[in-house]
Every structure is written in C-alpha cells, then in structure tokens.
Amino acid sequence: MLESVPAGVADQPAAEVTGRDKRALVSAVECTFDSLFVLSYDQGERSQLDALYRKAKTKQWDVDLDIDWSIGGQIDRARDPNNALNRLHIPAGGVFSRLSDEQLAELGHASAAWTINQFLHTEQGALTCAAKLVQSAPWVDAKFYASTQVMDEARHMEAYARYVKEKMEWEFPISTHLSGLLDDVVRDSRWDFTYLGMQVVIEGLALAAFGLQYKLSPDPLLKQITRYVIADEARHVAFGVLSLREAYADLTAAELRERQEFCFEAVLRMRNRYLAEEVWEQLDLPVDECTALVNAGPVQKEYRRALFSAVVPNLKKLGLLDFGDGWLRTKFGELGVLGFEDGDDTSAEYPRMDLDHAPWDVVRYQHY
C-alpha cells in the first residue's frame, strides 16, 4: 500500500511499465479465498440488494438480437480528424504535430481500437470478480445478484469482442497498469476487496468513461452498445456501494485505513491505463515523449479528472473519503477531484441509467 505520495502526484505515472510479455494469450493469477455456503435462504433480508436482483432478471439483453450489427463505417469514423473522441486521447504538440494526415488517421483508428480493447479486457476482469463474489459473498441476496452480474459481464465481453474483431479489425494487449490492478483484485483473499476494487473503483471509473463515450462517439453502433452496458454497469456499482456500507460499519480503524490506501493506489493505476503506451509502441512512436504529452495535455488531464465523477461520491457514501484524519480526502485533493464529492452516489443514481430511460434508437430492437 502507498504510505505517502509526493505532491504533484496527479501529473506523474504511478508505476513504470514492466517488461512482462504483453502478447501472452493466457495469464494465470494464483488466488485463495473462502467459498461461503450461506444456509439461510431468506431472500429479501437486504431489500435493496434484492431489488437490484429482481431488476437485473428482467434486463437481460441479447448481443445478437438487441444490437444492430448491420451498421458499418467504424474505421472511417475512427480515422476522422473531427472525431471528438480523438481529441480526448490524442494531445496536441510535440511528435503529434509532426505526423502526416495519414499518420494521424491511423493514430485515430489505433486509439479507438485500443480503447475498446481495454474495455474488453476490463469486462473479463469483472466477469472473474463477479464469479468470485458468487462464491465468497456472505449473504444470499448478494449471491443472487452477483450471479446476474456474471451473465452481464459475459454479455459485455461478447459485444466488445465482436466489435473489436468485426468492426475495428485491430486487437491490442491489455494495459500493464490495468493488468496489474486486476491481478491484485482477483488475488486478494478478502471478499470486500473484490467489491471495493472492482465494483466501486474499476467499474466506477469505467462508468464515467462509458458516459463520455456515449455522449461523444459519432458511431451509432458503439453508442447503442455503450448505452446497454451503462445500464448494467450502474447496477453493478450500486451493488458494491450497498453491500460495503453494511460491511464497513464493523471494521477497525486500521482495516479502514488499509482500504483507503488500496482505493488510492487503485485509482492511480486506473488513471495511468489511459496513458496508452501500447498505442505508441504499436505505431513506433516515442513512448516516453507521447506519455509525457498525454500527462501534460490539458484536454487529456481534464478527461482523466472527469473519470472520478462516480468514484468520489461513492467512496464518500462508504465513509472512506473522510474516515480518520481524512487521509483519502487529502490524496484526492492532490488529484483535483474533490469537486465531484457532492454528486449523487450510484446507489441513488442507477435507476436513471436504466434502459427505460434510453432513447428509441438504442432500444428499438429490444427483444425482452
């Protein structure tokens, strides 16, 4: 855990990229945890979790039936210099100002493909964590809900894998920063760390990223997939917040401090996955210069800051933001993200993200 982080940490990478073989197709993570058999089957004892489970049962969309895969033009849109998503991920100046129009178009394609590939890898991490929660959660209502999340995450993997292969035609390995965090979350034997790392931090940051992608993407197909995913992910984050509120009421001061430090380390690593070293390497661009430009670019810095819009209010709801001497509040202040603390936490906000509120062009093929 991080005991102290120097001032200015918001502008610095949290860790160096290792020499790990990024091309490996199978990665093993050794983990040991208790599988809990809960022999009290009184469903509904935790009414908010039960409500999530009942909603999830009725919202099982189908990648084949509900998504309009006939929509084309994804690569052309990604290569378009006017694509707003390119401005989020590709800074101005330096090496980027010396690229030709064709090189910039290729960079747009690579950046778009890389982004969706990282969402795909994250969804597999979420699938693994949800399956772990089915086994390790100590309440039957939590096990019921986690079982629906397993199906949700498999569906998200299916959708993004198909989009990457059929529409973007460019596959990227998992970001080293993301891989390291997923390994730690899966490896930890404590069930609440799985909740905290995946449900609250990783999925919370992803929920904000999905929201920006939905607003800015010029691709009708990606907007449709993203809106369906948002509805599911909002339930997943709410599941984490509602479960951990009860669990953290009984922890000691030392245990809560450990979870504060874990959260801060996790958000730094998730933030750094957007440095996109894999893109610069793939295109033979100078990785150190590109990373420095992404770190310093005002648009890119604001984008990374905006990703905290769901995480900060959720951690405040859990009491972790201000617990003890306010250590986590101080660290988030260094990141410049405390402006989000008074936003709605996802346990209150998720109903507004449901597909019942989605526009007709998203749900017109809805089969259920």
Side-chain angles (χ1 to χ4, degrees), residues 43-170:
Q43 183 178 357
E45 283 190 342
R46 289 164 176 82
S47 59
Q48 290 177 304
L49 296 186
D50 184 55
L52 279 177
Y53 172 61
R54 294 181 184 282
K55 178 176 286 289
K57 288 194 295 182
T58 67
K59 301 297 181 181
Q60 295 297 308
W61 52 280
D62 190 299
V63 171
D64 293 322
L65 300 179
D66 297 317
I67 303 298
D68 184 5
W69 292 101
S70 68
I71 299 172
Q74 282 69 36
I75 293 176
D76 288 340
R77 293 188 186 93
R79 290 171 59 88
D80 184 350
N82 296 315
N83 185 332
L85 289 176
N86 286 343
R87 291 194 291 273
L88 287 183
H89 300 296
I90 304 173
V95 64
F96 299 108
S97 66
R98 300 191 293 272
L99 298 180
S100 68
D101 290 345
E102 175 57 30
Q103 287 174 313
L104 285 171
E106 183 182 31
L107 178 54
H109 181 195
S111 178
W114 176 86
T115 298
I116 303 304
N117 273 275
Q118 299 314 309
F119 286 151
L120 170 59
H121 299 315
T122 302
E123 296 296 350
Q124 182 171 180
L127 174 70
T128 302
C129 288
K132 182 180 175 183
L133 287 175
V134 172
Q135 298 178 73
S136 61
W139 314 303
V140 71
D141 286 317
K143 289 181 180 292
F144 281 147
Y145 181 78
S147 69
T148 68
Q149 185 174 335
V150 170
M151 187 63 233
D152 290 348
E153 306 297 6
R155 184 168 58 243
H156 300 171
M157 282 178 61
E158 179 188 359
Y160 283 132
R162 184 171 177 180
Y163 187 88
V164 163
K165 291 176 179 292
E166 296 182 8
K167 302 299 183 178
M168 298 306 297
E169 301 177 13
W170 201 337

Side-chain angles (χ1 to χ4, degrees), residues 80-315:
D80 184 350
N82 296 315
N83 185 332
L85 289 176
N86 286 343
R87 291 194 291 273
L88 287 183
H89 300 296
I90 304 173
V95 64
F96 299 108
S97 66
R98 300 191 293 272
L99 298 180
S100 68
D101 290 345
E102 175 57 30
Q103 287 174 313
L104 285 171
E106 183 182 31
L107 178 54
H109 181 195
S111 178
W114 176 86
T115 298
I116 303 304
N117 273 275
Q118 299 314 309
F119 286 151
L120 170 59
H121 299 315
T122 302
E123 296 296 350
Q124 182 171 180
L127 174 70
T128 302
C129 288
K132 182 180 175 183
L133 287 175
V134 172
Q135 298 178 73
S136 61
W139 314 303
V140 71
D141 286 317
K143 289 181 180 292
F144 281 147
Y145 181 78
S147 69
T148 68
Q149 185 174 335
V150 170
M151 187 63 233
D152 290 348
E153 306 297 6
R155 184 168 58 243
H156 300 171
M157 282 178 61
E158 179 188 359
Y160 283 132
R162 184 171 177 180
Y163 187 88
V164 163
K165 291 176 179 292
E166 296 182 8
K167 302 299 183 178
M168 298 306 297
E169 301 177 13
W170 201 337
E171 297 181 57
F172 279 88
I174 187 171
S175 158
T176 303
H177 305 290
L178 175 60
S179 176
L181 178 56
L182 290 177
D183 287 357
D184 286 348
V185 171
V186 170
R187 184 181 297 115
D188 201 291
S189 62
R190 293 163 291 188
W191 64 270
D192 77 283
F193 270 70
T194 305
Y195 267 108
L196 187 60
M198 178 53 69
Q199 308 295 119
V200 177
V201 175
I202 297 176
E203 299 227 69
L205 288 167
L207 187 59
F210 290 141
L212 289 170
Q213 179 171 268
Y214 178 71
K215 290 178 182 177
L216 298 177
S217 175
D219 178 14
L221 174 59
L222 184 58
K223 290 176 78 75
Q224 188 182 29
I225 294 170
T226 302
R227 186 60 183 85
Y228 271 97
V229 170
I230 285 173
D232 292 343
E233 297 293 1
R235 291 196 308 272
H236 302 168
V237 179
F239 173 48
V241 174
L242 293 171
S243 298
L244 291 181
R245 282 189 69 195
E246 177 177 352
Y248 285 178
D250 298 324
L251 294 188
T252 67
E255 289 171 329
L256 287 171
R257 176 57 179 267
E258 185 178 10
R259 284 149 180 82
Q260 287 179 313
E261 293 175 358
F262 173 80
C263 284
F264 187 59
E265 184 172 356
V267 298
L268 289 181
R269 293 163 82 175
M270 280 296 289
R271 177 208 63 190
N272 286 340
R273 92 163 178 81
Y274 290 94
L275 296 177
E277 292 99 335
E278 297 78 17
V279 173
W280 322 134
E281 291 171 358
Q282 180 73 35
L283 298 181
D284 293 323
L285 294 171
V287 175
D288 290 343
E289 180 183 355
C290 292
T291 300
L293 289 168
V294 171
N295 254 327
V299 174
Q300 290 71 39
K301 288 174 72 172
E302 180 59 26
Y303 171 62
R304 292 194 299 274
R305 193 187 73 85
L307 297 178
F308 286 80
S309 60
V311 172
V312 177
N314 286 335
L315 291 176

